[in-house]
Amino acid sequence: MRSNLRRWGGKVKLEVTVDEAAGVVRYEVEDTGIGIAAADLPRLFQPFTQLDSTLSRHHEGTGLGLALVSRLTALHGGSVTVESELGKASRFTVTLPHQPSARPDKTPPEPNRRVVNERHAAQGTRILLAEDNEVNIAAFSDYLTAKGYDLTVARNGRQALELVAEIRPHLILMDIQMPEMDGLQTMVQLRATPEFRLTPLIALTALAMPGDRERCLAAGANEYLTKPISPKRLVEVIQTLLAA
Ligand code: MN
């Protein structure tokens, strides 16, 4: 960036505004750079994007910067917008939740805002939970539903296979010890079906025996978690797999 600027002889302006009413802080960065065509704006935040292969020879960079900014901002519950015109200035605005520490009113604290954003991200994401233990079902259901996921429960492997075909989940949580058909057999059958060969799948097991992890991964699991599973960790793994 710095070397590009030196070559352009351009200017960068940074403006930081606190919007108390909206509960946000805005970082606005404006340059006098090469600008961005309107048609290219949608691609801008995708990783490894250099908008023009001709330009990429003159303007260095990996094309990762904006993708990282966008991801990091989203993780903080914020957003990034851009206004630009080819050959003219570009203005990027990063908006983040802001909560002055000494504030007597009852604005929801930042974690609530985060929950709202997570719920938004999870909205419409179908998860199938194959699990026979009612206590685990209740715990996972409460947590994942509160996070905004659309959860369906199967009580054994056979039911899981039926429901997968029916609801076509975005991700599967698979207990290993289950009646009728266990998780390992279920995974093998799932992976033999071309349609569900790549559906992200997390194996959940209560008994961590040597070799369990390898058996689960060999049967087709993408990840393996040992109970007791922290709900927070579970959601982290779910989000990582869905983002991949
Ligand atoms: Mn079980």
Side-chain angles (χ1 to χ4, degrees), residues 59 81 108 137 150 160 177 185 205 231:
H59 301 278
T81 57
I137 291 172
D150 180 356
Q177 290 84 24
Q185 278 180 278
T205 182

Side-chain angles (χ1 to χ4, degrees), residues 186-209:
T186 312
M187 281 192 267
V188 169
Q189 290 221 19
L190 264 180
R191 294 315 195 202
T193 313
E195 210 182 336
F196 306 116
R197 203 165 53 84
L198 298 173
T199 307
L201 192 151
I202 304 170
L204 315 169
T205 182
L207 296 168
M209 304 291 279

Side-chain angles (χ1 to χ4, degrees), residues 14-241:
L14 170 67
E15 219 177 305
V16 183
T17 328
V18 175
D19 185 341
E20 293 253 8
V24 296
V25 56
R26 288 192 194 90
Y27 300 83
E28 292 174 87
V29 182
E30 198 177 285
D31 68 14
T32 53
I34 56 175
I36 302 151
D40 287 326
L41 288 176
R43 288 199 294 133
L44 201 56
F45 293 98
Q46 287 167 21
F48 300 107
T49 298
Q50 280 281 353
L51 288 176
D52 188 305
S53 57
T54 313
L55 284 180
S56 70
R57 264 178 255 136
H58 300 286
H59 301 278
E60 54 207 90
T62 57
L64 270 178
L66 285 174
L68 286 173
V69 168
S70 166
R71 283 289 182 84
L72 283 171
T73 306
L75 286 171
H76 284 283
S79 62
V80 190
T81 57
V82 56
E83 297 158 54
S84 187
E85 227 184 297
L86 201 57
K88 293 194 179 162
S90 304
R91 171 188 282 259
F92 288 84
T93 306
V94 171
T95 306
L96 291 171
H98 176 66
Q99 172 96 35
S101 44
R103 214 171 149 192
D105 68 14
K106 289 191 177 144
T107 305
E110 229 165 274
N112 289 355
R113 240 184 274 282
R114 177 103 107 298
V115 167
V116 169
N117 275 296
E118 275 180 11
R119 279 190 64 90
H120 184 71
Q123 218 66 239
T125 302
R126 296 185 300 279
I127 294 183
L128 180 88
L129 168 64
E131 167 72 72
D132 61 324
N133 181 301
E134 293 300 329
V135 174
N136 288 336
I137 291 172
F140 290 142
S141 299
D142 282 353
Y143 194 75
L144 294 174
T145 307
K147 288 281 173 196
Y149 291 105
D150 180 356
L151 192 75
T152 304
V153 179
R155 256 91 178 170
N156 60 58
R158 217 172 289 285
Q159 204 181 8
L161 289 175
E162 284 169 21
L163 286 172
V164 165
E166 193 181 312
I167 68 165
R168 292 157 195 284
H170 297 99
L171 182 140
I172 299 165
L173 300 173
M174 183 73 67
D175 179 32
I176 298 305
Q177 290 84 24
M178 286 191 295
E180 289 193 56
M181 187 188 284
D182 70 25
L184 290 176
Q185 278 180 278
T186 312
M187 281 192 267
V188 169
Q189 290 221 19
L190 264 180
R191 294 315 195 202
T193 313
E195 210 182 336
F196 306 116
R197 203 165 53 84
L198 298 173
T199 307
L201 192 151
I202 304 170
L204 315 169
T205 182
L207 296 168
M209 304 291 279
D212 264 8
R213 184 188 167 80
E214 286 66 30
R215 267 196 293 282
C216 286
L217 297 180
N222 300 93
E223 274 291 355
Y224 167 93
L225 294 174
T226 307
K227 295 172 191 171
I229 295 158
S230 109
K232 193 168 170 252
R233 171 79 185 130
L234 179 64
V235 166
E236 276 170 16
V237 175
I238 288 174
Q239 285 173 345
T240 306
L241 281 183

